[in-house]
Amino acid sequence: MARSKEFEENVVLDKAMKLFWAQGYEKTSLTDLVEHMGIHRRSLYDTFGDKHTLFLKAMDRFHDKVSSELTAEVKRSKTAAEALQFIFSFMIYGEENSPSGCLMVNSAVELAMRDADVDSKSTESFTLSEQLLKDIILWGQEEGEFTSEYDAGELAEHLHTVCVGLRVMTRTSIPKEKLYGIANLSIKLLDK
């Protein structure tokens, strides 16, 4: 008779995601994963496959969670500038009880040059982030908040690059106040 699973997949996947996020792919061993996830090695393989497959699933989980949170908050924003403020605050301060930085950015830096799957997932995530920023910029341009002197797509590419840089810098000892100043200037440059 087959044993039933004694864990909720998303709960243990979240644990793996946070461990990969904090330590990176290379520094995270299978033993680390089993201990941190609180499951047996056999259960890890049966449910998630090998370490690489688990990592890709953790990347998907991260993207889905962050994307839904950002999209929901943007929809609640009263102005485009308020939406951008939220996004930049999220990039700098992250989520409570989560590692600093961004799993997608960290993974791209660590692995994208030699892992086509990671490159594909990172690039797709970056493209969707740029689209969200473009939608916010178009909203601000239509409402007269932001300059229309530049193409919304080009401005989104620029802001996304700033966001990625901020996510990298949050993993250092650079004061958050400095990062917030960079974010505020980036938003101010869009003013009409």
Side-chain angles (χ1 to χ4, degrees), residues 118-130:
V118 172
D119 181 55
S120 176
K121 287 188 181 298
S122 299
T123 303
E124 179 185 347
S125 176
F126 294 162
T127 299
L128 293 171
S129 295
E130 281 182 17

Side-chain angles (χ1 to χ4, degrees), residues 130 133 153-163 186 189-190:
E130 281 182 17
L133 290 167
E154 291 173 345
L155 290 170
E157 289 171 355
H158 172 77
L159 285 185
H160 183 256
T161 302
V162 172
C163 286
S186 298
L189 293 173
L190 298 177

Side-chain angles (χ1 to χ4, degrees), residues 142-177:
E142 289 167 5
E143 294 295 318
E145 281 183 83
F146 299 151
T147 182
S148 294
E149 186 177 342
Y150 301 102
D151 175 73
E154 291 173 345
L155 290 170
E157 289 171 355
H158 172 77
L159 285 185
H160 183 256
T161 302
V162 172
C163 286
V164 169
L166 289 171
R167 290 294 249 181
V168 171
M169 293 170 75
T170 62
R171 292 185 59 95
T172 71
S173 61
I174 293 173
K176 301 280 192 250
E177 296 77 23

